[in-house]
Amino acid sequence: MRIEDHPILGKAERGKRITLNVDGEAVAAFEGENIAAALIASGRRVFRYTAKRMEPRGVFCALGRCTDCVMIVDGQPDVRTCVTPARDGMVIQTQVSRREGEATHDLEKEKD
Ligand code: FES
């Protein structure tokens, strides 16, 4: 689900096709687009879970301000995916946000 031809902005210009690894699955993206755009285009809406209530969060502001879209990217937690360009081969994980005093952990560890 991508806008190919916008009535005001015109036809979308795309970088070369790349692949992201998201929670172990291959997700198609285009070089230069942000990670969040690629994930939304692939149908993903949940990017992280809150620490206290494990509530799902996804893109909210899309400006890099709210942190609702943070994920673990190449082992780095708290990456704002709405303002981070996608690169071929990136490993991205859904993030379970930190509880106070705890290190960030991912869903796989949460399941154990
Ligand atoms: S959606 Fe708000 S920082 Fe990314």
Side-chain angles (χ1 to χ4, degrees):
M1 180 176 71
R2 284 186 166 89
I3 296 172
E4 301 292 337
D5 192 1
H6 190 277
I8 295 171
L9 302 174
K11 291 205 180 284
E13 292 182 24
R14 305 253 185 257
K16 77 173 190 181
R17 192 173 263 282
I18 60 175
T19 303
L20 310 176
N21 178 323
V22 183
D23 292 332
E25 295 178 15
V27 170
F30 292 99
E31 206 168 66
E33 74 180 347
N34 62 59
I35 295 168
L39 298 188
I40 288 171
S42 75
R44 288 176 181 265
R45 296 294 179 269
V46 177
F47 290 29
R48 73 174 180 100
Y49 289 91
T50 60
K52 253 187 187 172
R53 298 185 181 163
M54 288 291 288
E55 292 174 336
R57 294 289 185 265
V59 171
F60 181 68
C61 72
L63 297 169
R65 304 291 287 181
C66 73
T67 71
D68 270 359
C69 68
V70 297
M71 299 181 83
I72 301 169
V73 177
D74 291 334
Q76 173 71 42
D78 301 329
V79 174
R80 290 178 168 102
T81 58
C82 70
V83 292
T84 303
R87 287 190 328 274
D88 194 34
M90 275 179 153
V91 177
I92 300 164
Q93 296 166 276
T94 301
Q95 180 171 317
V96 177
S97 294
R98 282 178 275 217
R99 294 178 182 93
E100 198 168 316
E102 288 184 3
T104 297
H105 47 280
D106 61 42
L107 278 181
E108 290 306 311
K109 291 177 186 171
E110 189 72 20
K111 290 176 189 171
D112 294 337

